Amino acid sequence: MALPWFFVAVYIIFDVRIAEAGFCYSSYACRHQRYYETRYYSACGLFNWDRCTRHRTRSTTYYSTCYNSFCCSGFTGSSCSQAICNGITYCPNGGTCSSPNACVCAPGFVGSQCSDINECQTETDNCQQNCLNTHGSFTCSCDSGYTMNSDGATCKDINECQTGTDNCQQHCLNTHGSFTCSCGSGYTLNSDGATCTDIDECLGENGGCSEYCRNLNGSYECYCKEGLHLANDRKTCIDIDECASNNGGCDQVCKNDHAVFRCECYQGFSLDENGNSCNDNNECRGSNKCSQSCKNTIGSYVCSCDPEYYLESDGFTCIDIDDCLGIECLNNGKCVDFPGSYTCKCEEGFEGEHCEFGMLSNS
């Protein structure tokens, strides 16, 4: 017996989305209806005694998954292969939009907007000293007194003392990134830090010199007045004993005094006008102590006496020889001495050289 025919229309939609290579697919349930004929038998004829073959159309409804394709969010283009980053199909500063809102930035840039990386702030630079950020990169520089090496990052100290770029008047000492000036002994560095001024050592306590101080460029020296010389300390003046060498050039006597010396002569000599030689004094021509005769000798003189005189022990005085010595005056006569002679003074009534004769009376 055939089933009765009926029709049922049912719509069921499943919203399932699948993404593939920039395409998005929206799935839904779609209905399909298939019609077909069936054969069946039914009573027919008189009194429905016959069986007749009859045909009828039947349908079958079934469902399948259908898809709609479209560009996914973040993609565009005919093939939906172009990603969209922040509403545009490219990234700033040379970046590439590789996927929705995801930029692949050029070196030196970062982030969704490919913003410049400040390597100097993030300390991703390799500068040894100074870093200057640039668009997409950075540059290094060196402090004053340094020069950049070929690597463009490290710095090398400039030795100003060797290159002659210092301004030191005398001595130059290289330091890291700079240099310092200094002065030699006897000089002082001026306030400009470069030039030197001579120190006048003589202004302070005469330079330590006991006599005279002479300032020199960068130094000083002590010196002495004539007749003195410097001791080993080169400051103290000590007397020169001129007499110790060749008797000071004196002919006879050298007298050394502080800073001076003089020549003197022995008694009987007088100093020549040259101040060194001694000349014999002829005392016999001038003052002498001889009471009678004087004879000059080298450096002195001798006295002598006339006949009938003898020289006293003082060497100067002549004494009359006492001619009465050994003379006997007779008859109580007395011998009276005279220079070079004598006479007997006879008593009254006597006469003769020695009073040896009596005188005759007149009575």
Side-chain angles (χ1 to χ4, degrees):
M1 180 176 179
L3 295 175
W5 179 89
F6 62 93
F7 175 79
V8 178
V10 179
Y11 296 91
I12 301 175
I13 299 175
F14 299 95
D15 188 11
V16 177
R17 296 191 178 191
I18 301 173
E20 180 181 354
F23 284 100
C24 278
Y25 299 91
S26 177
S27 64
Y28 60 95
C30 54
R31 186 181 66 178
H32 299 276
Q33 195 169 33
R34 187 174 65 177
Y35 297 90
Y36 59 93
E37 289 184 351
T38 60
R39 187 176 58 184
Y40 65 96
Y41 299 98
S42 66
C44 64
L46 184 67
F47 303 113
N48 288 329
W49 288 355
D50 293 329
R51 293 180 61 87
C52 295
T53 301
R54 298 189 183 276
H55 296 274
R56 61 181 175 186
T57 300
R58 302 192 72 176
S59 66
T60 300
T61 301
Y62 64 93
Y63 295 89
S64 65
T65 302
C66 294
Y67 296 93
N68 287 326
S69 65
F70 57 92
C71 289
C72 296
S73 176
F75 289 92
T76 188
S78 60
S79 60
C80 295
S81 59
Q82 177 62 57
I84 300 173
C85 292
N86 302 305
I88 55 179
T89 58
Y90 61 90
C91 294
N93 299 315
T96 301
C97 183
S98 62
S99 60
N101 295 326
C103 291
V104 176
C105 300
F109 299 92
V110 71
S112 61
Q113 296 292 328
C114 288
S115 302
D116 175 54
I117 299 173
N118 190 330
E119 294 87 355
C120 303
Q121 288 184 352
T122 59
E123 297 183 354
T124 54
D125 65 284
N126 61 344
C127 298
Q128 185 179 20
Q129 291 187 356
N130 303 315
C131 176
L132 175 66
N133 186 59
T134 60
H135 189 68
S137 186
F138 63 93
T139 58
C140 299
S141 64
C142 299
D143 295 332
S144 175
Y146 292 86
T147 184
M148 182 68 71
N149 289 321
S150 59
D151 60 8
T154 59
C155 299
K156 179 182 179 181
D157 175 57
I158 298 172
N159 191 329
E160 296 85 356
C161 303
Q162 288 184 352
T163 60
T165 54
D166 65 283
N167 61 342
C168 299
Q169 185 179 18
Q170 292 190 1
H171 305 310
C172 175
L173 175 65
N174 187 58
T175 60
H176 286 294
S178 186
F179 63 93
T180 58
C181 300
S182 63
C183 301
S185 176
Y187 293 87
T188 183
L189 191 64
N190 292 323
S191 58
D192 61 7
T195 58
C196 301
T197 298
D198 174 59
I199 298 172
D200 189 348
E201 295 87 353
C202 298
L203 295 178
E205 298 182 355
N206 199 38
C209 303
S210 63
E211 290 279 345
Y212 304 116
C213 179
R214 180 185 294 116
N215 186 57
L216 304 173
N217 284 332
S219 183
Y220 72 101
E221 64 179 5
C222 299
Y223 65 101
C224 306
K225 61 186 177 184
E226 187 177 0
L228 301 177
H229 70 96
L230 287 174
N232 291 335
D233 63 3
R234 309 305 299 168
K235 292 185 177 182
T236 306
C237 292
I238 58 177
D239 178 56
I240 299 173
D241 188 358
E242 295 87 353
C243 299
S245 175
N246 196 33
N247 199 40
C250 297
D251 192 14
Q252 292 184 356
V253 180
C254 180
K255 291 284 187 179
N256 185 62
D257 290 325
H258 184 71
V260 295
F261 75 100
R262 67 181 185 277
C263 295
E264 295 181 353
C265 299
Y266 300 132
Q267 186 175 355
F269 294 85
S270 59
L271 194 64
D272 193 83
E273 291 180 355
N274 62 22
N276 298 323
S277 303
C278 291
N279 299 320
D280 176 57
N281 292 332
N282 191 342
E283 296 87 353
C284 298
R285 290 182 179 178
S287 59
N288 60 77
K289 295 181 180 181
C290 296
S291 60
Q292 290 185 358
S293 299
C294 176
K295 181 181 180 182
N296 187 58
T297 61
I298 300 300
S300 188
Y301 65 94
V302 293
C303 298
S304 62
C305 300
D306 297 335
E308 302 301 328
Y309 289 85
Y310 70 91
L311 192 62
E312 185 66 270
S313 60
D314 62 7
F316 305 111
T317 307
C318 290
I319 303 298
D320 176 50
I321 297 174
D322 189 357
D323 298 295
C324 291
L325 293 176
I327 301 301
E328 181 181 2
C329 293
L330 302 175
N331 301 307
N332 295 325
K334 294 182 179 180
C335 183
V336 179
D337 182 54
F338 292 99
S341 65
Y342 70 91
T343 185
C344 284
K345 186 177 180 180
C346 300
E347 289 286 337
E348 187 178 358
F350 295 91
E351 63 180 356
E353 184 178 1
H354 295 96
C355 298
E356 68 273 21
F357 303 109
M359 297 177 60
L360 295 177
S361 177
N362 294 325
S363 56

